[in-house]
Amino acid sequence: MRVKDIDSQLLSDNYYILNKLTFKYLMSNGQWVTQMREVYDRGDGAGILLYNPQKQTVILTKQFRMPTFMNDNTDGYLVEICAGMLDKDNPEACIIRETEEEVGYRLKKVKKVYEAYSSPGVMTEKMHFFIGEYTDDMKVNDGGGLDSEHEDIEVLELPFSEAINMLNSGKIHDTRTIVLLQYALIHNLMEAQNN
């Protein structure tokens, strides 16, 4: 073990948990050094790319993200995949719940394609990435998110080609969305279903 003597100091638990961690780390050269990191623990999440190969469409969302507004996103809005926090659910149950809440589709099945750490230098969060095929008859409501969580989510059903053009022209800035759109391209999701 190359880490020992971990001391954790709570800095904030206002919305999620922010701790200051001081620890000893064994360097590759054999020297023990004391390091300090602030670690943000907001739990794990799940996200999904919804796609319809018959219509050649995908469903994305658009919502205001204050941290991006504070860092050069002039209106604060991002085009994103449907996603949410696990809230003690397993990842599959979470993403099925989030899909209905955010975009109004009740999915029968989903496929997990990746899991990855979001920002490992500062966050504990691990994202679980899914894809899911949707059809018009799966729509059960208008989506938009939960009023109780003050969500204000715009649902976007776009031609897949338009989503890829947005990706290539830099209009999509969300890493999760970029990962799943690239997955769709690499694995020929739209073509594979038509053969």
mmCIF file of all heavy atoms in Angstrom, residues 70-92:
data_model
loop_
_atom_site.group_PDB
_atom_site.id
_atom_site.type_symbol
_atom_site.label_atom_id
_atom_site.label_comp_id
_atom_site.label_asym_id
_atom_site.label_seq_id
_atom_site.Cartn_x
_atom_site.Cartn_y
_atom_site.Cartn_z
ATOM 1 N N MET A 70 -20.070 29.841 -14.960
ATOM 2 C CA MET A 70 -18.970 30.496 -14.250
ATOM 3 C C MET A 70 -17.632 30.282 -14.956
ATOM 4 O O MET A 70 -16.638 30.904 -14.593
ATOM 5 C CB MET A 70 -18.872 29.974 -12.813
ATOM 6 C CG MET A 70 -20.123 30.211 -11.980
ATOM 7 S SD MET A 70 -20.573 31.944 -11.827
ATOM 8 C CE MET A 70 -19.192 32.561 -10.893
ATOM 9 N N ASN A 71 -17.611 29.399 -15.975
ATOM 10 C CA ASN A 71 -16.358 29.098 -16.673
ATOM 11 C C ASN A 71 -16.549 29.190 -18.183
ATOM 12 O O ASN A 71 -16.388 28.206 -18.903
ATOM 13 C CB ASN A 71 -15.829 27.719 -16.268
ATOM 14 C CG ASN A 71 -14.427 27.463 -16.797
ATOM 15 O OD1 ASN A 71 -13.702 28.380 -17.144
ATOM 16 N ND2 ASN A 71 -14.058 26.203 -16.874
ATOM 17 N N ASP A 72 -16.947 30.367 -18.650
ATOM 18 C CA ASP A 72 -16.877 30.689 -20.068
ATOM 19 C C ASP A 72 -18.020 30.161 -20.927
ATOM 20 O O ASP A 72 -17.969 30.258 -22.143
ATOM 21 C CB ASP A 72 -15.527 30.221 -20.641
ATOM 22 C CG ASP A 72 -15.083 31.055 -21.838
ATOM 23 O OD1 ASP A 72 -15.496 32.215 -21.928
ATOM 24 O OD2 ASP A 72 -14.351 30.521 -22.680
ATOM 25 N N ASN A 73 -19.075 29.568 -20.348
ATOM 26 C CA ASN A 73 -20.249 29.181 -21.127
ATOM 27 C C ASN A 73 -21.241 30.337 -21.002
ATOM 28 O O ASN A 73 -21.916 30.480 -19.996
ATOM 29 C CB ASN A 73 -20.837 27.867 -20.591
ATOM 30 C CG ASN A 73 -22.004 27.374 -21.426
ATOM 31 O OD1 ASN A 73 -22.365 27.964 -22.440
ATOM 32 N ND2 ASN A 73 -22.620 26.297 -20.982
ATOM 33 N N THR A 74 -21.323 31.162 -22.036
ATOM 34 C CA THR A 74 -21.982 32.471 -21.931
ATOM 35 C C THR A 74 -23.439 32.411 -21.487
ATOM 36 O O THR A 74 -23.889 33.307 -20.780
ATOM 37 C CB THR A 74 -21.885 33.242 -23.261
ATOM 38 O OG1 THR A 74 -22.408 32.438 -24.309
ATOM 39 C CG2 THR A 74 -20.446 33.616 -23.568
ATOM 40 N N ASP A 75 -24.202 31.383 -21.875
ATOM 41 C CA ASP A 75 -25.594 31.316 -21.412
ATOM 42 C C ASP A 75 -25.804 30.231 -20.349
ATOM 43 O O ASP A 75 -26.866 30.155 -19.746
ATOM 44 C CB ASP A 75 -26.575 31.129 -22.573
ATOM 45 C CG ASP A 75 -26.463 29.786 -23.271
ATOM 46 O OD1 ASP A 75 -25.646 28.931 -22.852
ATOM 47 O OD2 ASP A 75 -27.199 29.578 -24.250
ATOM 48 N N GLY A 76 -24.798 29.403 -20.108
ATOM 49 C CA GLY A 76 -24.880 28.386 -19.061
ATOM 50 C C GLY A 76 -25.618 27.122 -19.445
ATOM 51 O O GLY A 76 -25.710 26.189 -18.653
ATOM 52 N N TYR A 77 -26.133 27.052 -20.675
ATOM 53 C CA TYR A 77 -26.892 25.867 -21.088
ATOM 54 C C TYR A 77 -25.977 24.852 -21.762
ATOM 55 O O TYR A 77 -25.086 25.216 -22.520
ATOM 56 C CB TYR A 77 -28.032 26.254 -22.035
ATOM 57 C CG TYR A 77 -29.177 26.901 -21.303
ATOM 58 C CD1 TYR A 77 -29.208 28.275 -21.108
ATOM 59 C CD2 TYR A 77 -30.209 26.136 -20.775
ATOM 60 C CE1 TYR A 77 -30.234 28.880 -20.409
ATOM 61 C CE2 TYR A 77 -31.253 26.724 -20.079
ATOM 62 C CZ TYR A 77 -31.258 28.096 -19.895
ATOM 63 O OH TYR A 77 -32.281 28.684 -19.198
ATOM 64 N N LEU A 78 -26.234 23.569 -21.466
ATOM 65 C CA LEU A 78 -25.507 22.469 -22.102
ATOM 66 C C LEU A 78 -26.482 21.500 -22.737
ATOM 67 O O LEU A 78 -27.544 21.210 -22.176
ATOM 68 C CB LEU A 78 -24.679 21.687 -21.075
ATOM 69 C CG LEU A 78 -23.390 22.286 -20.546
ATOM 70 C CD1 LEU A 78 -22.670 21.268 -19.667
ATOM 71 C CD2 LEU A 78 -22.470 22.750 -21.653
ATOM 72 N N VAL A 79 -26.102 20.979 -23.884
ATOM 73 C CA VAL A 79 -26.803 19.857 -24.495
ATOM 74 C C VAL A 79 -26.128 18.599 -23.975
ATOM 75 O O VAL A 79 -24.908 18.460 -24.054
ATOM 76 C CB VAL A 79 -26.743 19.937 -26.040
ATOM 77 C CG1 VAL A 79 -27.338 18.688 -26.666
ATOM 78 C CG2 VAL A 79 -27.465 21.196 -26.529
ATOM 79 N N GLU A 80 -26.930 17.696 -23.413
ATOM 80 C CA GLU A 80 -26.393 16.546 -22.697
ATOM 81 C C GLU A 80 -27.227 15.293 -22.947
ATOM 82 O O GLU A 80 -28.386 15.381 -23.342
ATOM 83 C CB GLU A 80 -26.431 16.782 -21.178
ATOM 84 C CG GLU A 80 -25.876 18.069 -20.686
ATOM 85 C CD GLU A 80 -26.100 18.252 -19.189
ATOM 86 O OE1 GLU A 80 -26.499 17.289 -18.499
ATOM 87 O OE2 GLU A 80 -25.873 19.365 -18.712
ATOM 88 N N ILE A 81 -26.638 14.166 -22.593
ATOM 89 C CA ILE A 81 -27.412 12.934 -22.480
ATOM 90 C C ILE A 81 -28.310 13.039 -21.246
ATOM 91 O O ILE A 81 -28.075 13.853 -20.363
ATOM 92 C CB ILE A 81 -26.490 11.698 -22.345
ATOM 93 C CG1 ILE A 81 -25.542 11.873 -21.155
ATOM 94 C CG2 ILE A 81 -25.760 11.408 -23.645
ATOM 95 C CD1 ILE A 81 -24.750 10.648 -20.770
ATOM 96 N N CYS A 82 -29.296 12.210 -21.170
ATOM 97 C CA CYS A 82 -30.099 12.059 -19.958
ATOM 98 C C CYS A 82 -29.211 11.398 -18.906
ATOM 99 O O CYS A 82 -28.536 10.400 -19.193
ATOM 100 C CB CYS A 82 -31.310 11.182 -20.283
ATOM 101 S SG CYS A 82 -32.291 10.723 -18.860
ATOM 102 N N ALA A 83 -29.185 11.951 -17.693
ATOM 103 C CA ALA A 83 -28.304 11.413 -16.658
ATOM 104 C C ALA A 83 -28.825 11.799 -15.282
ATOM 105 O O ALA A 83 -29.637 12.709 -15.146
ATOM 106 C CB ALA A 83 -26.880 11.952 -16.845
ATOM 107 N N GLY A 84 -28.320 11.079 -14.269
ATOM 108 C CA GLY A 84 -28.704 11.404 -12.905
ATOM 109 C C GLY A 84 -27.855 10.677 -11.894
ATOM 110 O O GLY A 84 -27.063 9.790 -12.238
ATOM 111 N N MET A 85 -28.047 11.037 -10.644
ATOM 112 C CA MET A 85 -27.317 10.411 -9.546
ATOM 113 C C MET A 85 -27.999 9.097 -9.161
ATOM 114 O O MET A 85 -29.215 8.984 -9.227
ATOM 115 C CB MET A 85 -27.271 11.352 -8.337
ATOM 116 C CG MET A 85 -26.637 12.704 -8.639
ATOM 117 S SD MET A 85 -25.032 12.611 -9.446
ATOM 118 C CE MET A 85 -24.083 11.761 -8.212
ATOM 119 N N LEU A 86 -27.199 8.117 -8.721
ATOM 120 C CA LEU A 86 -27.735 6.801 -8.390
ATOM 121 C C LEU A 86 -28.720 6.836 -7.225
ATOM 122 O O LEU A 86 -29.674 6.054 -7.208
ATOM 123 C CB LEU A 86 -26.611 5.822 -8.060
ATOM 124 C CG LEU A 86 -25.631 5.490 -9.192
ATOM 125 C CD1 LEU A 86 -24.723 4.342 -8.771
ATOM 126 C CD2 LEU A 86 -26.322 5.169 -10.497
ATOM 127 N N ASP A 87 -28.498 7.712 -6.254
ATOM 128 C CA ASP A 87 -29.391 7.794 -5.094
ATOM 129 C C ASP A 87 -29.662 6.431 -4.474
ATOM 130 O O ASP A 87 -30.801 6.070 -4.192
ATOM 131 C CB ASP A 87 -30.720 8.473 -5.466
ATOM 132 C CG ASP A 87 -30.536 9.902 -5.924
ATOM 133 O OD1 ASP A 87 -29.592 10.568 -5.444
ATOM 134 O OD2 ASP A 87 -31.331 10.357 -6.765
ATOM 135 N N LYS A 88 -28.614 5.632 -4.304
ATOM 136 C CA LYS A 88 -28.648 4.301 -3.692
ATOM 137 C C LYS A 88 -29.306 3.235 -4.566
ATOM 138 O O LYS A 88 -29.444 2.090 -4.158
ATOM 139 C CB LYS A 88 -29.288 4.339 -2.310
ATOM 140 C CG LYS A 88 -28.555 5.254 -1.349
ATOM 141 C CD LYS A 88 -29.022 5.054 0.062
ATOM 142 C CE LYS A 88 -28.521 6.030 0.990
ATOM 143 N NZ LYS A 88 -27.531 6.417 1.586
ATOM 144 N N ASP A 89 -29.750 3.585 -5.781
ATOM 145 C CA ASP A 89 -30.239 2.584 -6.738
ATOM 146 C C ASP A 89 -29.060 1.910 -7.403
ATOM 147 O O ASP A 89 -27.945 2.440 -7.401
ATOM 148 C CB ASP A 89 -31.075 3.250 -7.849
ATOM 149 C CG ASP A 89 -32.534 3.384 -7.487
ATOM 150 O OD1 ASP A 89 -32.985 2.706 -6.546
ATOM 151 O OD2 ASP A 89 -33.223 4.189 -8.140
ATOM 152 N N ASN A 90 -29.313 0.757 -8.026
ATOM 153 C CA ASN A 90 -28.283 0.220 -8.900
ATOM 154 C C ASN A 90 -28.294 1.058 -10.173
ATOM 155 O O ASN A 90 -29.286 1.737 -10.480
ATOM 156 C CB ASN A 90 -28.468 -1.284 -9.149
ATOM 157 C CG ASN A 90 -29.677 -1.601 -10.002
ATOM 158 O OD1 ASN A 90 -29.827 -1.097 -11.106
ATOM 159 N ND2 ASN A 90 -30.557 -2.444 -9.496
ATOM 160 N N PRO A 91 -27.193 1.065 -10.930
ATOM 161 C CA PRO A 91 -27.101 1.960 -12.102
ATOM 162 C C PRO A 91 -28.218 1.764 -13.121
ATOM 163 O O PRO A 91 -28.743 2.739 -13.660
ATOM 164 C CB PRO A 91 -25.731 1.612 -12.683
ATOM 165 C CG PRO A 91 -24.937 1.130 -11.516
ATOM 166 C CD PRO A 91 -25.917 0.393 -10.656
ATOM 167 N N GLU A 92 -28.613 0.513 -13.379
ATOM 168 C CA GLU A 92 -29.662 0.265 -14.382
ATOM 169 C C GLU A 92 -31.009 0.820 -13.920
ATOM 170 O O GLU A 92 -31.711 1.484 -14.688
ATOM 171 C CB GLU A 92 -29.769 -1.236 -14.656
ATOM 172 C CG GLU A 92 -30.763 -1.554 -15.758
ATOM 173 C CD GLU A 92 -30.749 -3.026 -16.129
ATOM 174 O OE1 GLU A 92 -29.666 -3.561 -16.409
ATOM 175 O OE2 GLU A 92 -31.837 -3.628 -16.138
#
